[in-house]
Amino acid sequence: ATAFGPTVTSFVQPEPVPNPQDFVLWSFFNSMFCNPFCLGFIALVFSVKARDKKIAQDPAAASTYGRTAKHLNIAALSLGIVGTIILIVVLAVYYNNLRVRS
């Protein structure tokens, strides 16, 4: 004789995999518009590496590459903004001196 009773099924939910950021769009923007010393392009390379590692299910390496890309993006954007401000000030002083001499 077979007894049919309630069946107990246990389900273990896997730990959520952290989703490290890769900063590809920010790196692309910096490589096109703010690229002093090629920092934007280098950040784009690290961003693509971070995305590849994320797809390959290696969150530790993806996080490391993403962090490096973030730091390079911050440096590229900061240097780009400072360089633009210096360029505007130099051009304003130059044109002001031209106008005074005329």
Side-chain angles (χ1 to χ4, degrees), residues 5-20:
T7 305
V8 177
T9 305
S10 63
F11 178 72
V12 178
Q13 190 169 6
E15 291 289 322
V17 177
N19 192 10

Side-chain angles (χ1 to χ4, degrees), residues 72-94:
L72 288 169
N73 280 323
I74 290 170
L77 190 61
S78 300
L79 288 173
I81 290 171
V82 168
T84 303
I85 290 171
I86 289 172
L87 180 68
I88 290 171
V89 168
V90 167
L91 287 176
V93 168
Y94 177 73

Side-chain angles (χ1 to χ4, degrees), residues 18-87:
N19 192 10
Q21 293 183 334
D22 51 20
F23 304 104
V24 171
L25 291 177
W26 189 14
S27 299
F28 184 73
F29 172 82
N30 282 337
S31 65
M32 290 292 115
F33 300 112
C34 294
N35 200 14
F37 309 114
C38 294
L39 289 176
F41 179 72
I42 297 169
L44 184 61
V45 169
F46 276 96
S47 295
V48 170
K49 285 183 178 185
R51 181 162 287 186
D52 288 345
K53 292 297 182 182
K54 187 166 48 170
I55 291 173
Q57 298 296 322
D58 188 2
S63 176
T64 303
Y65 283 128
R67 197 174 321 112
T68 304
K70 180 176 90 171
H71 293 151
L72 288 169
N73 280 323
I74 290 170
L77 190 61
S78 300
L79 288 173
I81 290 171
V82 168
T84 303
I85 290 171
I86 289 172
L87 180 68

